Amino acid sequence: MAEQEPGATGTTGPAAGSGGQGEEPIPFMQQVLDSPFLLLFIGVTMPTVFYILWGVINITSIPLAN
Amino acid sequence: MATTAQFRTCPDTGFRIHLAADKLIKWNAVTAVVFLLVGGLFGLLVALTRWPAVHLLPADLFYLALTAHGLDVLLVWIIFFEIAVLYFACSILLNSRLAAPKVAWLAYWLMLVGAVMTNIAVLRGDSSVMFTSYVPMQAAPDFYLGIILFAVGALFACFVFFGTLVIAKQEKTYEGSVPLVTFGALTAAIIAVFTIAAGAIILVPTLFWSLGYISNIDTLMYKVVWWGMGHSSQQINVAAHIAVWYALAAILFGAKPLSEKVSRGAFLLYILFLQLASAHHLLVEPGLAAEYKIFNTSYALYLAVLASMIHGLTVPGSIEAAQRKKGLTKGLYEWLRKAPWSNPSFSGLALSIIMFGFLGGISGVMMGTEQLNLITHNTTYVPGHFHATVVTGTTLAFMALAYWLVPVLWQRELVLPGLAKWQPYLFGIGMGLVSLFLMGAGTLGVPRRHWDMAFSDAAITHDFPAAAFLMMGLNGVAALIATLGGVIFILNMVGTILWGKKKEAAPAPQAAPEPQPAAAAGAYGGAGTMAVPGTFVLALVFLAAFVLYYFVNWKYLASVWGLS
Ligand SMILES: [Cu+2]
């Protein structure tokens, strides 16, 4: 377990701009996780495409009986 | 927007609480509990009818009770409580005022009016279409309208949650990333938005169909879109109750997650994949391709299951780490033995984690496998599974939180502290047994949603083995035990709110081991250790049980499906 834990020792997140002595850039994944509306977009799009749209396409491509 | 939001400081926890949020959390939580009582009692009627020796209700009332039970507990109780959790996580934990309290009240009233409207439609007896309300079964228009109003209200509440995240960030009420509990609540809110959208897409046309403006709704189309709501709504629960697990670990032990990164990554897996598992309800539909079914319920779902296992490991792990830090280091399990087992917040949490994983999780993966699903599809195994997830998982976790939250918010002491100690065991073990007996009977083929497994007045009959009858009887007994536990909970909550002794200024929180550990729920940062051997051993036990049960079911499938 050699991974670095961000914020493992401090009480505030590493994204805290004030008071941090390092100018360390915020990691990409953390930026993603800190963007609620991006997550909202992903969380609605994924099931809409893979579950609903794909399912609807499946159903509409069933040939109608004559 | 010069707002003069008013705050009070909680003497127990030090949280700064926005008064408007305080009131909204209270009303949503209380309303939730009232519907838990109503829905729970309908559940008892269902169990007593399915107890062959009792067979309480006639067929029409049975389906009425089953419809009311599903709606009131699966939707109304849980979503009202979740809204309370969302407001708690975005305003109290972020030290922020709640965005647009007026919208939040509008949301509350829409939900309440909707829930009451649908309940009236059901109680009238002309809308016994069960929770799923599959077309072409038709309910009265107000049945659908009520659910739509409820859903719109819940959507507004989600907007308030997102709005509060925005203003908390703008007004810099916290630094850096939101706390993990708030992140879990965000996950729940995101899933809720999709859930409600799917519900609106299908229920609005169904309402018009019920009014006679639309002549026909395709049954398979209905099922696909409806389960976008029906299944996902249960995933709101999962995300919310796991946020509650993290909150309780922090509140009770000052525990910090083993790794913020890993726990947040697991929530991200939920956001990406959890809702796709809706397709497991459609595994036997002939109109849908195998690729669709298998991608959604296996490949995608396994990533969500991975996330659940991560949470199941890291919540007890964080507790173990916190306990070991306090010096409870003897052997593998001193930390667990010396945990506050008579504090209902802890025992409820512990039982919730164990039963959600062992009963709900394992059975869910089994059923979600396309081939294995054939053994149990539409049997009582299905309600057995989801009583483990939604009741012993979600409801028990919410009860555990309520034991802490209600005395803190109302500043009153529990009225029945002695009974409260026993309550999670009664309710949890009773419901755990309900799950097991239903799953057992389902494995023997007993159909779900069936009024009479003896087929006494049916043209085509079937003889179930005696063991199946026995299990449905035991299910009734277990439901009685659980009901007793549920009633004690409700008495305790309502009694505390109405008549609980006012707390003196600055008392120590009764059963919690430390004065103000609750603040940890609002903090960022991991425990900085992975040295949790006891938890890892438990995880291995879980994995062994998982593998064994999965294997046994493939074996069983091979034997029920005689191909030679
Ligand atoms: Cu489901």
Side-chain angles (χ1 to χ4, degrees):
Chain A
M1 293 282 157
E3 64 168 340
Q4 284 280 314
E5 278 302 309
T9 49
T11 49
T12 58
S18 58
Q21 69 267 74
E23 290 296 300
E24 220 180 305
I26 300 169
F28 171 73
M29 270 317 284
Q30 192 173 356
Q31 289 185 30
V32 171
L33 295 178
D34 283 346
S35 321
F37 293 98
L38 174 65
L39 295 175
L40 174 63
F41 175 77
I42 299 172
V44 173
T45 308
M46 281 288 291
T48 303
V49 172
F50 285 104
Y51 174 71
I52 301 231
L53 286 182
W54 191 1
V56 168
I57 290 169
N58 258 290
I59 297 169
T60 49
S61 57
I62 300 171
L64 285 179
N66 296 308
Chain B
M1 288 251 300
T3 40
T4 48
Q6 292 190 316
F7 288 85
R8 68 177 173 87
T9 302
C10 172
D12 285 355
T13 60
F15 284 134
R16 217 168 128 256
I17 301 175
H18 182 202
L19 293 182
D22 187 34
K23 203 169 168 194
L24 277 155
I25 294 170
K26 285 176 178 170
W27 276 89
N28 278 284
V30 168
T31 312
V33 169
V34 172
F35 279 98
L36 175 64
L37 174 66
V38 176
L41 291 176
F42 278 117
L44 180 64
L45 294 177
V46 170
L48 291 179
T49 306
R50 296 227 55 177
W51 181 343
V54 178
H55 208 52
L56 185 70
L57 299 177
D60 53 346
L61 287 180
F62 169 74
Y63 287 105
L64 185 155
L66 188 54
T67 308
H69 172 56
L71 277 165
D72 285 335
V73 287
L74 219 43
L75 218 55
V76 185
W77 136 250
I78 284 184
I79 297 205
F80 264 116
F81 200 88
E82 272 156 5
I83 301 302
V85 170
L86 288 187
Y87 292 161
F88 172 77
C90 69
S91 94
I92 297 184
L93 287 185
L94 293 184
N95 258 312
S96 172
R97 67 186 169 91
L98 194 72
K102 281 195 184 127
V103 178
W105 279 111
L106 175 66
Y108 173 81
W109 285 109
L110 279 171
M111 287 170 68
L112 184 60
V113 169
V116 170
M117 187 184 280
T118 301
N119 266 286
I120 290 173
V122 172
L123 291 177
R124 225 171 32 218
D126 61 359
S127 299
S128 299
V129 292
M130 292 176 284
F131 177 58
T132 45
S133 54
Y134 281 156
V135 299
M137 276 193 293
Q138 195 173 56
D142 47 343
F143 174 90
Y144 304 108
L145 183 63
I147 301 175
I148 292 168
L149 290 178
F150 183 83
V152 171
L155 188 62
F156 284 174
C158 291
F159 291 159
V160 172
F161 173 81
F162 281 102
T164 307
L165 291 187
V166 171
I167 58 172
K169 187 156 195 131
Q170 268 171 7
E171 295 173 2
K172 296 199 168 57
T173 61
Y174 67 98
E175 286 189 345
S177 306
V178 296
L180 184 59
V181 177
T182 309
F183 192 75
L186 168 65
T187 305
I190 289 171
I191 298 175
V193 171
F194 171 77
T195 302
I196 294 163
I201 290 171
I202 198 60
L203 287 176
V204 170
T206 309
L207 168 65
F208 287 125
W209 167 71
S210 158
L211 286 166
Y213 298 127
I214 293 179
S215 63
N216 171 54
I217 298 219
D218 181 77
T219 54
L220 186 53
M221 199 73 96
Y222 178 92
K223 279 188 174 180
V224 168
V225 185
W226 192 89
W227 279 113
M229 173 184 81
H231 178 82
S232 306
S233 66
Q234 310 318 312
Q235 315 300 22
I236 312 174
N237 307 341
V238 172
H241 84 228
I242 285 174
V244 167
W245 287 357
Y246 282 109
L248 283 169
I251 289 162
L252 294 167
F253 299 96
K256 291 174 174 177
L258 293 180
S259 159
E260 285 273 0
K261 206 194 286 180
V262 170
S263 292
R264 278 168 210 252
F267 276 123
L268 179 63
L269 288 176
Y270 276 176
I271 293 172
L272 288 167
F273 300 113
L274 193 51
Q275 306 160 73
L276 305 188
S278 307
H280 71 194
H281 297 273
L282 310 166
L283 283 172
V284 299
E285 300 299 327
L288 297 164
E291 295 91 325
Y292 171 80
K293 293 173 183 171
I294 293 175
F295 173 81
N296 280 301
T297 62
S298 292
Y299 297 123
L301 176 66
Y302 294 156
L303 292 167
V305 170
L306 172 70
S308 289
M309 294 199 292
I310 290 172
H311 294 304
L313 179 76
T314 168
V315 174
S318 70
I319 294 174
E320 177 171 1
Q323 290 278 78
R324 283 183 184 274
K325 221 166 148 188
K326 281 174 213 145
L328 300 171
T329 52
K330 244 181 263 150
L332 276 179
Y333 291 116
E334 193 192 9
W335 64 274
L336 191 56
R337 272 200 319 275
K338 298 206 173 150
W341 289 99
S342 58
N343 177 347
S345 288
F346 175 75
S347 56
L349 168 66
L351 290 172
S352 168
I353 295 174
I354 293 169
M355 292 200 278
F356 179 73
F358 278 88
L359 297 181
I362 294 179
S363 61
V365 172
M366 193 289 271
M367 266 194 322
T369 307
E370 196 200 9
Q371 299 89 329
L372 296 180
N373 183 270
L374 286 174
I375 310 175
T376 55
H377 199 92
N378 272 347
T379 67
T380 56
Y381 192 95
V382 181
H385 155 74
F386 68 69
H387 279 78
T389 53
V390 175
V391 190
T392 63
T394 306
T395 299
L396 201 51
F398 287 178
M399 285 176 170
L401 182 69
Y403 278 115
W404 173 79
L405 194 64
V406 167
V408 162
L409 284 185
W410 272 269
Q411 283 299 303
R412 287 175 187 272
E413 284 169 23
L414 280 184
V415 278
L416 304 167
L419 282 175
K421 282 183 194 168
W422 293 98
Q423 190 275 333
Y425 297 100
L426 269 179
F427 184 76
I429 293 171
M431 277 325 288
L433 290 174
V434 164
S435 296
L436 279 173
F437 291 131
L438 286 177
M439 287 197 266
T443 308
L444 296 172
V446 177
R448 68 184 292 201
R449 302 174 156 177
H450 200 289
W451 171 65
D452 178 23
M453 67 185 280
F455 297 101
S456 39
D457 60 352
I460 303 169
T461 63
H462 176 79
D463 283 327
F464 287 107
F469 282 91
L470 177 66
M471 278 198 261
M472 291 309 286
L474 290 172
N475 170 60
V477 177
L480 280 171
I481 299 172
T483 305
L484 185 62
V487 168
I488 293 174
F489 170 76
I490 289 160
L491 283 180
N492 227 334
M493 290 302 124
V494 175
T496 301
I497 292 164
L498 295 179
W499 309 292
K501 207 172 115 220
K502 275 274 176 197
K503 286 193 185 187
E504 304 296 317
Q510 228 170 2
E514 274 188 359
Q516 294 197 348
Y524 184 97
T529 175
M530 287 285 167
V532 287
T535 304
F536 280 116
V537 170
L538 286 177
L540 289 177
V541 172
F542 174 79
L543 283 178
F546 196 159
V547 170
L548 203 67
Y549 188 70
Y550 196 67
F551 174 75
V552 164
N553 274 286
W554 279 100
K555 231 13 223 170
Y556 182 49
L557 176 67
S559 73
V560 292
W561 210 0
L563 289 177
S564 55

